[in-house]
């Protein structure tokens, strides 16, 4: 059966998910998780969460899905051991080096490759197979057809509902470059949710709109297609969402799953769907997984929660506004006035006689305090509904069915066996005496054994094997029942506690042969830039245009930079690989999009690459600590000048590239939009160059010998000047 995997950001959300029908939950701790601003779980709460979920037969996957810096690596391994020893079912990891070392240290730890790894093609999945992961979380941009076409023994996990990233996960640098908050470190500032204007050359084509803010994924109406696919784990996004969201979305998809396995029609329960719209929605899309139309991926009107229609303002005065309701309103509900984008809590509701009331029904006319000096016919939405909230947070806890067998023969110790069909507890009690007067009634024995109401269990069946003339003290019988129940709780809570730890594990330091010669690489995007690089006799030239590469391929120092998505490059001698699939297939040089941030990643990827480029997100201290690990003797490349590619998207904000297009932000910074026609991909480029040429002497002191410059729209004279500046810094 498929697994329903639910996000939980707090103990309250966890409890709701467990009792609403989750098969598994995923959550994050206070460290190394890709939702750094979620509430998350302390170590003590993590232990409690694992025990609680396991008690009810729910698996727990923990996110350790950020890039790990060198100074953090030992702590990250220690954290994995902590999770492992406390019974976690799996960890979700992004960092390749951490996956590699975790297998050596904790060989039985189940590892899932996070969607942050950018799992989007068969070669990368093959790479991950060899790395030893159990499951891959597929890229959100993949269609069902693409997912099904990948033949792998690994479990496939895919998102079926929730917020979407507009950029391929693990490939976005927008937040990092603009605000120093890395999406790869769980600190995303959600730059995609901000307003932008679309520009063509120097002209604005739109006013401020939410041009790259996605709608929420919702596959409920197409769920059979997903259930018929090769996807095993059905993942819902939302570790920062409320417990009521978790409860509602879990029930929605649990209901559909149960119908599927009962061979019923998969009719969506409209009550759940309507409640979910009240709780949180940005409008819905069926997403790339179901081949959604390009235009239906984003909601350009708003990036906020919309709620549902509440009514309209029909008249007003200085004190009150008069609202005709199109749905119920309750005291404490949240309201938004759509046209002015202002909200309030309905703490005071009045009827038409200006009497305070606790709520009103659909069709009623009510009065609200005119807090915003409203003087026009506005529309209102409900953004919080207290009754809907309570429906999904005031939960009925599920009960686990158990059977009991009680044996009592005079002269022997009584025995109670309690089973949940998986685990069985057998305990002996006091010696059974013959009754001196009235024997113990069997109905009374059943009654006492049935008193499990305060536990997570319910009695399915009690079987008695009892002599007719026995006497047992009621206190002893109750104690035997309690002890069995406590033992069963303990064994259920502590499932997966038998752990294998490699106590001989040592993070071996690899010594590399390293050239002392400095080298310069230049990435070019057109022939003018390439000509300058040739003239300046740089050591390596990376070309992004395949036709341009083919024209100059006989030059031994010309390299083709592969596509970052579904690369199909073959029969090319020199390559710069931007994703793990092409690196696995072609070897060559590894680009900074491989997110190399620690020694373990360098060590593992070096079997595929003769030269790895370090992540551009490493600051000076991170870089120094990494190079110190190798005593400053490792062959890596550092990018010292570039206008970085901030995002790569399957969504296309512009379809007809007849000229240059840009996104312009609220500060009038322009981000060029570049189309990849062959792959139907869109690239959002940086507005300002990152220039680290003045740090070259520092980098040289760290033992770095290979340096890269990347050009975007620089003209020939500027390209030449920048190359010369680097040569001067290197004294070559």
């Amino acid at each position: 059966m498929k697994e329903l995997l639910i996000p939980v950001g707090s103990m309250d959300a966890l409890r709701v998910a467990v009792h609403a029908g989750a098969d598994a939950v995923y959550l994050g701790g206070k460290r190394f998780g890709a939702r750094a601003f979620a509430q998350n779980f302390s170590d003590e709460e993590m232990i409690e969460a694992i025990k609680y979920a396991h008690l009810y037969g729910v698996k727990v996957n923990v996110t350790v899905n950020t890039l790990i810096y060198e100074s953090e690596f030992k702590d990250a391994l220690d954290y994995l051991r902590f999770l492992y020893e406390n019974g976690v079912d799996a960890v979700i990891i992004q960092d390749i080096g951490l996956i590699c070392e975790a297998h050596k240290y904790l060989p039985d730890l189940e590892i899932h490759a996070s969607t942050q790894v950018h799992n989007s093609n068969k070669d990368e999945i093959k790479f991950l197979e060899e790395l030893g992961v159990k499951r891959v979380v597929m890229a959100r941009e993949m269609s069902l057809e693409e997912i099904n076409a990948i033949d792998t023994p690994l479990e496939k996990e895919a998102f079926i509902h929730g917020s979407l990233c507009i950029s391929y996960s693990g490939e976005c640098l927008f937040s990092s470059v603009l605000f120093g908050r890395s999406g790869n470190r769980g600190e995303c500032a959600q730059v995609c949710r901000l307003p932008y204007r679309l520009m063509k050359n120097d002209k604005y084509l739109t006013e401020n709109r939410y041009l790259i803010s996605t709608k929420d994924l919702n596959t409920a109406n197409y769920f059979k297609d997903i259930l018929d696919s090769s996807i095993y784990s059905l993942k819902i996004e939302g570790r920062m969402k409320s417990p009521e969201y978790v409860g509602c979305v879990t029930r929605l998809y649990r209901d559909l799953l149960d119908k599927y396995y009962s061979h019923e029609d998969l009719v969506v329960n409209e009550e759940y769907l309507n409640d979910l719209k009240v709780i949180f929605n940005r409008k819905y899309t069926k997403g790339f997984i179901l081949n959604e139309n390009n235009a239906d991926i984003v909601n350009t009107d708003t990036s906020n929660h919309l709620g549902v229609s509440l009514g309209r303002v029909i008249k007003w005065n200085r004190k009150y506004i008069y609202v005709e309701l199109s749905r119920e309103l309750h005291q404490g509900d949240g309201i938004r006035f759509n046209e002015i984008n202002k909200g309030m809590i309905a703490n005071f509701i009045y009827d038409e006689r200006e009497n305070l009331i606790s709520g009103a029904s659909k069709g009623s006319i009510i009065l609200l305090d005119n807090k915003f000096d409203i003087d026009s016919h506005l529309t209102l939405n409900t953004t919080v509904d207290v009754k809907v909230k309570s429906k999904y947070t005031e939960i009925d806890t599920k009960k686990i069915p158990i059977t009991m067998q009680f044996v009592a023969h005079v002269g022997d110790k009584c025995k109670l066996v309690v089973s949940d069909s998986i685990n069985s507890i057998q305990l002996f009690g006091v010696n059974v005496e013959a009754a001196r007067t009235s024997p113990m009634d069997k109905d009374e024995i059943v009654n006492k054994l049935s008193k499990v109401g305060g536990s997570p269990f319910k009695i399915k069946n009690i079987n008695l094997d009892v002599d007719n003339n026995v006497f047992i003290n009621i206190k002893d019988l109750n104690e035997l029942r309690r002890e069995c129940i406590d033992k069963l709780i303990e064994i259920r809570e502590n499932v997966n506690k038998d752990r294998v730890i490699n106590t001989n594990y040592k993070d071996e330091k690899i010594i590399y042969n390293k050239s002392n010669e400095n080298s310069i690489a230049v990435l070019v995007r057109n022939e003018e830039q390439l000509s300058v690089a040739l003239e300046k006799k740089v050591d390596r030239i990376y070309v992004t245009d395949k036709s341009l590469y083919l024209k100059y391929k006989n030059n031994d120092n010309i390299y083709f930079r592969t596509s970052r998505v579904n690369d199909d490059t073959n029969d090319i001698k020199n390559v710069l690989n931007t994703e793990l699939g092409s690196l696995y297939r072609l070897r060559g040089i590894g680009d900074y999009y491989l997110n190399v941030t620690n020694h373990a990643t360098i060590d593992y990827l070096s079997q595929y690459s003769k030269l790895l480029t370090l992540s551009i997100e490493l600051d000076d201290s991170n870089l120094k600590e990494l190079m110190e690990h190798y005593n400053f003797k490792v062959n890596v490349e550092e990018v010292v000048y570039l206008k970085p590619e901030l995002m790569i998207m399957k969504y296309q904000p512009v379809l007809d590239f007849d000229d240059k297009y840009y996104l312009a932000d609220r500060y009038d910074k322009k981000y060029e939009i570049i189309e990849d026609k062959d792959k139907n991909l869109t690239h959002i480029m940086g507005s300002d160059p990152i220039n680290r040429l003045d740090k070259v002497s520092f980098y040289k002191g760290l033992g770095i010998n290979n340096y890269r410059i990347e050009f975007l729209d620089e003209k020939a004279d500027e390209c030449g000047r920048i190359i010369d500046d680097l040569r001067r810094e290197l004294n070559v």
Side-chain angles (χ1 to χ4, degrees):
M1 294 178 67
K2 307 284 188 182
E3 173 187 87
L4 184 59
L5 178 59
I6 302 299
V8 293
S10 66
M11 279 301 300
D12 287 340
L14 173 70
R15 294 186 185 97
V16 168
V18 164
H19 298 294
D23 295 311
V25 296
Y26 67 102
L27 51 95
K30 297 291 186 182
R31 297 168 289 165
F32 311 120
R35 290 290 182 271
F37 302 109
Q39 182 176 339
N40 292 321
F41 290 73
S42 67
D43 288 355
E44 294 76 15
E45 290 169 333
M46 185 70 73
I47 295 170
E48 179 188 358
I50 294 169
K51 286 185 174 182
Y52 188 86
H54 283 173
L55 175 61
Y56 289 96
V58 175
K59 290 184 176 182
V60 178
N61 303 338
V62 176
T63 58
V64 189
N65 55 343
T66 62
L67 298 181
I68 308 299
Y69 291 153
E70 187 64 27
S71 61
E72 303 167 326
F73 204 83
K74 183 180 182 302
D75 287 344
L77 282 175
D78 289 343
Y79 184 58
L80 291 181
R81 177 171 178 166
F82 160 77
L83 295 173
Y84 184 62
E85 289 181 326
N86 282 286
V88 69
D89 294 279
V91 288
I92 307 166
I93 303 182
Q94 173 185 9
D95 192 279
I96 297 301
L98 186 62
I99 294 175
C100 175
E101 294 304 304
H103 274 309
K104 299 176 188 176
Y105 184 37
L106 309 167
D108 289 342
L109 175 64
E110 183 170 318
I111 296 176
H112 300 171
S114 168
T115 191
Q116 290 284 119
V117 181
H118 183 44
N119 309 311
S120 57
N121 61 71
K122 63 181 178 62
D123 292 311
E124 180 160 5
I125 304 306
K126 187 67 178 174
F127 169 89
L128 293 169
E129 281 181 35
E130 295 187 8
L131 186 55
V133 305
K134 173 74 178 298
R135 180 186 297 183
V136 289
V137 188
M138 311 306 292
R140 294 174 176 92
E141 291 76 9
M142 295 186 73
S143 68
L144 276 184
E145 293 80 7
E146 290 170 326
I147 293 172
N148 288 334
I150 294 178
D151 183 17
T152 176
L154 303 183
E155 293 175 350
K156 298 174 185 176
E157 179 177 302
F159 286 92
I160 62 165
H161 194 102
S163 299
L164 291 169
C165 291
I166 195 68
S167 174
Y168 278 83
S169 296
E171 300 296 297
C172 182
L173 296 171
F174 216 149
S175 175
S176 177
V177 170
L178 263 66
F179 299 114
R181 288 173 48 178
S182 170
N184 283 314
R185 299 277 293 164
E187 301 167 342
C188 178
Q190 295 200 318
V191 182
C192 55
R193 302 294 181 188
L194 298 175
Y196 297 91
R197 287 175 290 177
L198 182 63
M199 294 183 67
K200 178 179 178 180
N201 296 324
D202 295 325
K203 293 184 179 179
Y204 293 109
L205 301 182
T206 69
E207 294 301 316
N208 270 332
R209 306 291 300 276
Y210 297 90
L211 298 177
I212 52 173
S213 179
T214 60
K215 298 176 181 178
D216 289 344
L217 178 64
N218 184 334
T219 65
N221 288 317
Y222 312 90
F223 206 43
K224 187 176 185 305
D225 293 335
I226 290 176
L227 292 175
D228 288 339
S229 76
S230 61
I231 298 167
Y232 167 69
S233 183
L234 310 167
K235 188 171 193 173
I236 291 168
E237 181 278 336
R239 283 197 289 126
M240 297 183 74
K241 298 290 200 310
S242 65
E244 57 267 29
Y245 173 90
V246 169
C248 185
V249 75
T250 304
R251 290 191 193 183
L252 170 65
Y253 287 98
R254 178 80 267 161
D255 178 62
L256 291 172
L257 262 170
D258 291 345
K259 287 174 179 173
Y260 179 81
Y261 287 111
S262 298
H263 306 290
E264 301 175 41
D265 291 338
L266 266 66
V267 178
V268 176
N269 186 314
E270 290 298 325
E271 178 185 358
Y272 295 148
L273 199 55
N274 290 332
D275 288 347
L276 197 54
K277 289 178 181 176
V278 176
I279 295 168
F280 193 89
N281 85 88
R282 295 187 182 99
K283 292 186 177 179
Y284 292 125
T285 173
K286 62 183 181 181
F288 292 118
I289 191 170
L290 292 163
N291 298 307
E292 182 65 277
N293 295 323
N294 185 74
D296 290 324
I297 293 294
V298 300
N299 177 3
T300 59
D301 295 327
T302 182
S303 61
N304 293 325
H305 165 45
L306 292 169
V308 295
S309 177
L310 173 63
R312 62 191 183 94
V313 177
I314 57 174
K315 64 178 182 178
W316 54 86
N317 57 42
R318 293 179 65 183
K319 188 174 184 182
Y320 296 119
I321 54 172
Y322 293 71
V323 177
E324 182 178 9
L325 298 177
S326 57
R327 73 185 307 269
E328 285 187 0
L329 177 67
H330 322 106
Q331 187 177 21
D333 283 358
I335 296 170
R336 177 180 293 122
F337 296 92
N338 296 316
E339 289 79 5
I340 61 174
N341 196 28
K342 291 184 177 180
M344 60 184 283
I345 300 297
N347 290 320
F348 300 99
I349 307 170
Y350 309 88
D351 63 18
E352 291 188 89
R353 296 179 180 179
E354 300 185 9
N355 297 314
L356 277 171
I357 54 177
S358 60
S361 60
K362 176 181 177 179
S364 301
I365 295 174
I366 55 98
L367 281 63
L368 297 171
D369 293 323
N370 193 356
K371 292 184 176 182
F372 304 120
D373 296 325
I374 290 168
D375 59 0
S376 58
H377 296 283
L378 305 182
T379 60
L380 296 81
N381 277 14
T382 300
T383 54
V384 176
D385 185 314
V386 292
K387 286 195 173 181
V388 168
K389 180 178 180 179
S390 65
K391 185 192 301 186
Y392 297 103
T393 54
E394 296 173 7
I395 53 175
D396 294 327
T397 58
K398 66 181 182 181
K399 295 290 185 176
I400 304 156
I402 58 173
T403 61
M404 289 184 176
Q405 181 184 31
F406 182 68
V407 180
H409 299 299
V410 174
D412 295 332
K413 289 186 176 183
C414 62
K415 179 177 71 174
L416 180 61
V417 180
V418 178
S419 174
D420 61 6
S421 78
I422 299 173
N423 309 288
S424 185
I425 303 296
Q426 175 180 289
L427 293 177
F428 290 93
V430 297
N431 286 326
V432 180
E433 301 176 5
R436 295 179 181 177
T437 53
S438 300
M440 195 168 194
D441 185 86
K442 291 183 179 180
D443 288 341
E444 184 179 8
I445 294 175
V446 170
N447 177 264
K448 297 304 179 185
L449 293 175
S450 298
K451 291 185 175 180
V452 296
S455 77
F457 305 111
K458 63 180 179 181
I459 301 295
K460 181 180 179 182
N461 181 54
I462 297 179
N463 180 43
L464 299 183
D465 179 7
V466 178
D467 291 347
N468 290 327
N469 62 333
V470 302
F471 171 79
I472 303 172
N473 191 297
I474 296 299
K475 177 184 176 183
D476 293 329
L477 188 60
N478 287 339
E479 182 62 32
L480 183 60
R481 183 201 69 235
R482 281 194 295 268
E483 191 175 354
C484 273
I485 292 298
D486 288 346
K487 289 284 186 183
L488 186 57
I489 289 173
E490 181 182 2
I491 198 170
R492 289 181 67 93
E493 285 183 339
N494 291 287
V495 68
N496 292 344
K497 277 298 187 72
D498 295 330
R499 297 312 205 184
V500 177
I501 296 172
N502 178 9
T503 55
N504 295 320
Y505 167 78
K506 185 178 181 181
D507 190 353
E508 299 290 344
K509 183 174 290 190
I510 298 177
I511 305 300
Y512 292 95
N513 292 323
K514 175 179 173 292
S515 169
N516 292 320
E517 296 296 321
N518 292 316
S519 75
I520 295 176
V522 174
L523 182 138
V524 300
R525 298 178 189 274
N526 56 53
E527 193 163 11
E528 179 185 27
Q529 295 171 348
L530 190 150
S531 297
V532 174
L534 287 171
E535 179 187 339
K536 295 292 183 178
K537 294 183 172 54
V538 301
D539 300 281
R540 291 176 303 284
I541 302 173
Y542 304 141
V543 180
T544 60
D545 183 282
K546 194 165 189 179
S547 61
L548 189 58
Y549 168 81
L550 293 174
K551 182 176 178 180
Y552 288 87
K553 67 178 182 177
N554 291 329
N555 294 62
D556 288 339
N557 65 336
I558 302 286
Y559 290 70
F560 176 64
R561 188 194 220 183
T562 63
S563 173
R564 292 174 63 193
V565 179
N566 297 333
D567 181 76
D568 55 5
T569 302
N570 280 303
D571 301 322
I572 289 182
K573 180 173 62 174
N574 293 332
V575 287
L576 173 65
N577 294 286
T578 58
E579 53 97 15
L580 291 170
S582 67
L583 183 72
Y584 174 80
R585 186 177 72 255
L586 303 171
R587 305 313 198 247
I589 296 176
D591 208 347
Y592 54 84
Y593 293 111
L594 301 183
N595 293 322
V596 175
T597 57
N598 58 66
H599 76 276
T601 302
I602 291 175
D603 292 345
Y604 189 80
L605 294 184
S606 288
Q607 65 184 297
Y608 302 99
S609 176
K610 62 183 180 181
L611 178 63
L612 291 166
T613 310
L614 299 176
S615 166
I616 66 169
E617 295 191 274
L618 290 172
D619 65 20
D620 290 351
S621 62
N622 303 142
L623 190 57
K624 183 173 185 290
E625 287 160 346
L626 174 56
M627 296 301 293
E628 281 178 341
H629 172 85
Y630 295 105
N631 296 322
F632 312 106
K633 294 180 180 180
V634 63
N635 200 36
V636 292
E637 183 164 290
E638 176 74 5
V639 183
V640 293
Y641 178 93
L642 79 164
K643 286 184 181 175
E645 185 174 314
L646 303 178
M647 279 186 177
I648 179 169
M649 307 183 294
K650 190 171 183 178
Y651 169 67
Q652 296 172 281
V654 178
L655 295 176
D656 183 14
F657 275 81
D658 57 346
D659 223 318
K660 284 201 170 188
Y661 289 84
Y662 304 87
L663 292 179
D665 68 13
R666 52 193 167 164
Y667 305 112
D668 280 331
K669 284 192 173 182
K670 298 193 303 182
Y671 307 95
E672 186 176 355
I673 304 170
I674 296 179
E675 180 191 33
D676 182 343
K677 293 181 181 179
D678 293 336
K679 299 289 182 181
N680 291 321
L681 297 170
T682 299
H683 308 261
I684 306 297
M685 308 306 297
S687 172
D688 301 314
I690 296 174
N691 190 336
R692 296 169 174 166
L693 291 168
D694 61 346
K695 294 186 176 182
V696 168
S697 60
F698 169 72
Y699 299 146
K700 286 175 63 179
L702 299 181
I704 296 175
N705 297 107
N706 306 291
Y707 297 89
R708 187 197 304 181
I709 294 166
E710 286 198 1
F711 295 131
L712 176 61
D713 52 5
E714 289 85 354
K715 298 299 182 184
D717 57 345
E718 188 176 6
C719 293
R721 178 183 57 76
I722 293 169
I723 294 171
D724 289 342
D725 287 347
L726 176 56
R727 286 196 186 281
R728 276 193 296 274
E729 294 291 337
L730 290 172
N731 296 317
V732 296

